[in-house]
């Protein structure tokens, strides 16, 4: 896994492309419910270690 920064513009371009990344929203439930990127999967940061099996290994992942 790479520690790469992706700008909002780059993400937007990737979401319009043929191979969209999986977006993981690691914020709390209240923040997620208030608004999130369409299609984002909600896995709060404090649950991430226990839910790693939900993250595909053959797809780009963008956490926010």
């Amino acid at each position: 896994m790479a520690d790469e920064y992706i700008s909002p513009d780059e993400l937007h371009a990737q979401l319009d492309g043929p191979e969209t990344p999986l977006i993981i929203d690691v914020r709390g439930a209240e923040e997620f419910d208030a608004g999130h990127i369409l299609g984002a999967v909600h896995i709060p940061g404090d649950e991430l270690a226990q839910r790693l099996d939900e993250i595909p290994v053959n797809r780009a992942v963008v956490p926010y």
Side-chain angles (χ1 to χ4, degrees):
M1 183 183 331
D3 293 334
E4 297 175 19
Y5 173 81
I6 182 171
S7 74
D9 290 336
E10 289 172 310
L11 178 58
H12 189 267
Q14 288 184 15
L15 292 175
D16 287 338
E19 295 184 25
T20 61
L22 173 65
I23 301 170
I24 300 176
D25 189 325
V26 297
R27 302 173 302 158
E30 191 172 300
E31 292 171 300
F32 181 80
D33 291 342
H36 55 274
I37 296 172
L38 184 62
V41 174
H42 184 225
I43 303 178
D46 60 350
E47 297 177 15
L48 194 55
Q50 294 82 24
R51 296 178 62 184
L52 289 176
D53 60 331
E54 297 176 39
I55 301 171
V57 296
N58 59 348
R59 185 173 175 191
V61 175
V62 177
Y64 84 101

